[in-house]
């Protein structure tokens, strides 16, 4: 009896010791995460050779369907393939969760030491101690990415640890995963929802290097460069993707990508391959939208206007704002048929190519008379705004900082306020510290200066050159900055 008592005591001591060891291991894991400094340069970037399972996985994602018999026959040859298991789970999701649980449980019971089987089993069945199980996977094999990846997803969905742990675990999974991009995609998602745009862009660059055919990463990286107005990099990226994946992107889409990244000559080459009569309506709209801009760039203004008119006919759009776009205005502002077209759809209001300064008359917020002669031979931004629009007030705030970049240049701003009560306008002006003249139009957008220009919403702005001609409409960010610089340097002959 005394022997058994000793054995029980020894067993209890052993179990308590194991629990303490496990607690220490877990504590060490999260302590390491606390001090971890993520370095995306450590993520492997070498291009991967896809195995059979990943090829099938890509095929399933592309078509959304694949025969179960094909997957099962391949699983017989590659029983522990991560990607084949993933495809089968996706197919079984149409049958029900019980079918998925049955599949992963059978796999796990056949070999409980297999990390692939254990990973899917824990994620699908979600035992009460799923977090501890993944922590144990990491302890047993610190070089296998699945423990980190599984724990990252578990903490993300259960929300029982600090969010930064999720990101750092996904990062570690990415560093340790040379043949599987899913941890990187999850990390990209985490960056996206947390607003870490630069990190997400870098990660998609890695994903593209590892898999040059990854269209989703190409799309994200292209958008990133376009948002930064880095047209050169966007164009180079498009060229590289086209070279690595000939024929993957349709000619109409290639024409669009090169057009938006300012490679209009290349865009035109793809346009010439297209027969518009063979296009469906949606593609036909895009075709004429691209063609109008490319022909304007090429100097064929007649053909550009023909494409604009065809676009308008197909879409039945009569909003003049659409046709005052920067890519039209740059090349067509002095083309009379284009200006007449804008007049015809705007109700004869001032728009691209019109002389505007002499027509701007009225009283300033302080009651004094506005004198347009003070703005002769200057580049001027006319901004229509109202305190009742948060976006308009925000743009006024933006313009304050923007104007400071040209404090010693021939650049000015004229505000046209459309508030019925000028006291509201004056409050915004004082709060922001506006240092340019603002004309008050008490009739709002129903008369006077409120109906002089062609626009549909506020804020709306018109960039006027040194001759008093409207050159651009509603520019933002880098586009506004670059155009102001160009017009300042432009000779006033």
């Amino acid at each position: 009896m005394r022997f058994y008592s000793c054995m029980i005591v020894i067993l209890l001591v052993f179990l308590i010791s194991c629990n303490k060891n496990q607690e220490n291991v877990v504590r060490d894991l999260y302590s390491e995460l606390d001090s971890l400094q993520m370095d995306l340069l450590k993520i492997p970037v070498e291009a991967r050779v896809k195995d059979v399972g990943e090829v099938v996985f890509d095929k399933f994602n592309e078509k959304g369907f694949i025969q179960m018999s094909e997957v099962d026959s391949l699983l017989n040859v590659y029983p522990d393939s991560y990607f084949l298991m993933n495809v089968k789970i996706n197919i079984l999701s149409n049958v029900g969760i019980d079918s998925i649980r049955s599949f992963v449980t059978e796999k796990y019971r056949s070999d409980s030491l297999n990390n692939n089987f254990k990973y899917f089993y824990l994620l699908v069945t979600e035992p009460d101690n799923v977090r501890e199980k993944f922590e144990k996977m990491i302890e047993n094999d610190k070089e296998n990415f699945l423990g980190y990846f599984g724990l990252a997803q578990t903490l993300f969905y259960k929300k029982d640890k600090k969010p930064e742990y999720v990101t750092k675990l996904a990062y570690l999974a990415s560093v340790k995963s040379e043949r599987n991009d899913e941890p990187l995609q999850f990390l990209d998602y985490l960056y996206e929802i947390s607003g870490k745009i630069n990190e997400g862009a870098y990660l998609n660059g890695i994903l593209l290097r590892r898999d040059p055919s990854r269209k989703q990463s190409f799309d994200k990286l292209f958008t990133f460069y376009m948002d930064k107005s880095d047209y050169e990099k966007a164009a180079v990226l498009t060229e590289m993707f086209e070279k690595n994946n000939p024929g993957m992107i349709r000619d109409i889409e290639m024409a669009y990508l090169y057009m938006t990244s300012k490679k209009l000559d290349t865009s035109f080459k793809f346009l010439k391959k297209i027969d518009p009569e063979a296009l469906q309506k949606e593609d036909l709209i895009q075709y004429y939208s691209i063609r109008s801009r490319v022909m304007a760039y090429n100097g064929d203004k007649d053909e550009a206007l023909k494409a604009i008119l065809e676009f308008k006919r197909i879409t039945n759009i009569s909003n003049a704002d659409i046709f005052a776009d920067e890519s039209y205005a740059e090349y067509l502002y002095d083309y009379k048929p284009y200006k007449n077209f804008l007049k015809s759809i705007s109700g004869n209001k001032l728009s691209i190519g019109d002389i505007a300064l002499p027509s701007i008359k009225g009283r300033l917020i302080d009651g004094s008379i506005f004198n347009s002669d003070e703005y002769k031979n200057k580049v001027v931004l006319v901004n229509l705004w109202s305190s009742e629009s948060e976006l308009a007030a925000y743009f006024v705030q933006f313009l304050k900082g923007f104007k400071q970049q040209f404090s010693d240049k021939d650049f000015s701003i004229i505000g046209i306020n459309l508030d019925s009560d000028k006291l509201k306008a004056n409050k915004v002006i004082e709060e922001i510290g506006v240092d340019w003249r603002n004309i008050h139009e008490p009739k709002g957008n129903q008369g006077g200066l409120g109906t002089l220009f062609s626009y549909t919403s506020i804020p709306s702005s018109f960039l006027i050159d040194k001759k008093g001609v409207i050159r651009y409409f509603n520019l933002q960010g880098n586009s506004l900055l670059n155009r102001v610089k160009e017009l300042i340097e432009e000779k006033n002959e």
Side-chain angles (χ1 to χ4, degrees):
M1 178 71 76
R2 196 194 269 162
F3 172 77
Y4 289 114
S5 297
C6 289
M7 287 298 295
I8 291 172
V9 170
I10 291 171
L11 182 60
L12 286 172
V13 170
F14 175 74
L15 290 173
I16 291 171
S17 175
C18 286
N19 286 336
K20 286 184 177 179
N21 287 338
Q22 178 63 24
E23 289 174 5
N24 289 335
V25 169
V26 172
R27 194 160 45 243
D28 290 344
L29 170 63
Y30 292 106
S31 294
E32 289 175 11
L33 292 177
D34 282 330
S35 60
L36 176 67
Q37 298 295 317
M38 291 187 294
D39 180 2
L40 296 182
L41 291 173
K42 292 182 178 180
I43 297 176
V45 299
E46 291 76 17
R48 300 182 299 102
V49 177
K50 297 183 180 181
D51 60 23
V52 174
E54 190 170 2
V55 172
V56 173
F57 183 72
D58 289 345
K59 179 180 175 183
F60 174 77
N61 283 332
E62 181 182 347
K63 296 184 177 180
F65 176 79
I66 196 169
Q67 292 291 341
M68 178 75 85
S69 57
E70 181 182 349
V71 178
D72 285 336
S73 63
L74 286 169
L75 273 170
N76 288 331
V77 182
Y78 309 98
D80 64 346
S81 168
Y82 174 94
F83 290 103
L84 288 175
M85 289 185 67
N86 211 329
V87 172
K88 179 149 185 175
I89 288 171
N90 274 280
I91 296 173
L92 289 175
S93 65
N94 295 318
V95 180
I97 187 64
D98 290 338
S99 299
I100 299 175
R101 284 176 178 153
S102 177
F103 168 64
V104 297
T105 301
E106 181 183 348
K107 282 286 188 182
Y108 178 66
R109 286 175 178 170
S110 70
D111 184 359
S112 61
L113 298 179
N114 185 297
N115 280 322
N116 284 351
F117 297 168
K118 187 182 295 184
Y119 166 80
F120 284 113
Y121 173 75
L122 292 176
L123 279 186
V124 171
T125 61
E126 290 188 295
D128 292 337
N129 60 345
V130 60
R131 193 187 81 195
E132 290 79 3
K133 291 285 187 182
F134 277 122
E135 291 166 350
K136 188 68 175 176
M137 278 183 71
I138 296 173
E139 179 193 356
N140 291 338
D141 188 353
K142 290 189 175 182
E143 295 308 310
N144 190 295
F145 79 92
L146 287 171
Y148 299 95
F149 190 30
L151 184 56
Q153 293 174 83
T154 300
L155 297 183
F156 178 75
Y157 290 111
K158 288 186 174 294
K159 295 181 173 64
D160 60 353
K161 286 285 184 180
K162 291 189 290 186
E164 67 184 69
Y165 288 157
V166 178
T167 303
K168 290 184 176 182
L169 285 164
Y171 161 76
L172 288 172
S174 300
V175 170
K176 298 173 187 299
S177 172
E178 295 183 0
R179 298 181 58 81
N180 191 318
D181 289 342
E182 290 208 332
L184 284 78
Q185 291 174 272
F186 183 57
L187 183 57
D188 174 46
Y189 171 71
L190 295 174
Y191 283 145
E192 187 176 323
I193 62 177
S194 60
K196 295 185 176 181
I197 300 171
N198 292 332
E199 290 87 342
Y202 184 82
L203 204 58
N204 278 289
I206 294 175
L207 283 163
L208 261 181
R209 287 187 64 180
R210 287 167 61 126
D211 179 4
S213 66
R214 188 178 294 280
K215 178 67 161 54
Q216 185 180 23
S217 291
F218 165 76
D219 290 339
K220 287 185 175 183
L221 201 51
F222 183 87
T223 301
F224 171 78
Y225 288 138
M226 291 302 296
D227 288 345
K228 298 283 187 181
S229 297
D230 197 337
Y231 303 117
E232 185 63 33
K233 285 185 179 178
V236 170
L237 176 70
T238 304
E239 185 178 349
M240 289 177 59
F241 192 82
E242 177 199 356
K243 182 179 179 180
N244 291 327
N245 307 280
M248 178 182 285
I249 303 179
R250 298 181 308 151
D251 289 338
I252 187 74
E253 293 176 55
M254 291 302 301
Y256 173 77
L257 291 169
Y258 279 117
M259 180 202 73
T260 53
S261 57
K262 309 296 186 182
K263 289 288 184 179
L264 295 170
D265 288 333
T266 309
S267 177
F268 188 52
K269 291 178 183 178
F270 281 95
L271 274 184
K272 289 194 292 186
K273 298 180 182 181
I274 301 169
D275 176 10
E277 294 184 3
L279 298 177
Q280 298 295 320
K281 182 177 179 180
E282 185 176 336
D283 286 337
L284 195 61
I285 290 171
Q286 188 175 29
Y287 172 81
Y288 282 110
S289 174
I290 298 169
R291 181 175 175 80
S292 59
R293 290 167 168 82
V294 171
M295 299 312 292
Y297 165 78
N298 285 342
D300 195 336
K301 298 179 181 181
D302 291 339
E303 285 298 317
L305 185 57
K306 284 181 184 178
I308 289 174
L309 294 173
E310 193 61 21
F311 175 86
K312 181 182 180 299
R313 182 189 68 80
I314 298 169
T315 61
N316 201 30
I317 291 175
S318 296
N319 184 347
D321 291 7
I322 301 294
F323 303 103
D325 180 79
E326 178 184 6
S327 53
Y328 296 135
E330 179 177 8
Y331 303 105
L332 302 177
Y333 78 94
D334 58 352
Y335 180 52
K336 190 172 181 180
Y338 168 71
K339 294 194 289 182
N340 290 339
F341 164 71
L342 291 179
K343 292 282 187 195
S344 70
I345 59 175
S346 69
N348 212 35
K349 295 179 180 179
L350 294 182
S351 188
I352 303 298
D354 291 325
I355 295 177
L357 268 182
S359 301
I360 302 176
K361 299 174 182 178
R363 289 188 176 275
L364 301 173
I365 295 286
D366 63 10
S368 60
I369 297 175
F370 173 76
N371 181 9
S372 63
D373 289 342
E374 296 178 17
Y375 298 89
K376 285 182 178 180
N377 301 316
K378 287 186 177 183
V379 176
V380 179
L381 183 73
V382 176
N383 178 48
L384 291 95
W385 66 284
S386 166
S387 66
E388 295 178 1
S389 166
E390 289 185 15
L391 187 59
Y394 174 81
F395 190 58
V396 171
Q397 178 76 59
F398 163 78
L399 288 178
K400 181 185 177 184
F402 181 83
K403 182 174 179 289
Q404 292 174 356
Q405 299 178 69
F406 301 97
S407 57
D408 60 340
K409 304 291 184 181
D410 291 330
F411 173 72
S412 295
I413 299 174
I414 299 171
I416 297 178
N417 176 261
L418 304 180
D419 285 311
S420 57
D421 183 357
K422 68 179 181 181
L423 293 178
K424 292 180 179 179
N426 202 45
K427 182 180 179 182
V428 173
I429 289 171
E430 290 178 354
E431 287 177 351
I432 295 177
V434 172
D435 59 353
W436 59 86
R437 291 182 175 86
N438 279 266
I439 305 170
H440 180 234
E441 178 48 72
K443 296 179 182 178
N445 60 4
Q446 300 300 311
L449 292 177
T451 56
L452 178 65
F453 294 89
S454 173
Y455 67 99
T456 56
S457 61
I458 53 173
S460 280
S461 59
F462 297 82
L463 188 59
I464 300 172
D465 67 17
K466 295 177 182 178
K467 298 177 183 178
V469 176
I470 298 175
R471 296 286 291 273
Y472 296 102
F473 170 68
N474 274 357
L475 296 179
Q476 302 286 331
N478 286 333
S479 290
L480 178 59
L481 179 67
N482 293 333
R483 296 304 185 184
V484 169
K485 288 178 179 179
E486 287 177 11
L487 294 184
I488 288 174
E489 294 300 320
E490 199 172 71
K491 293 182 180 179
N492 184 12
E493 298 176 348

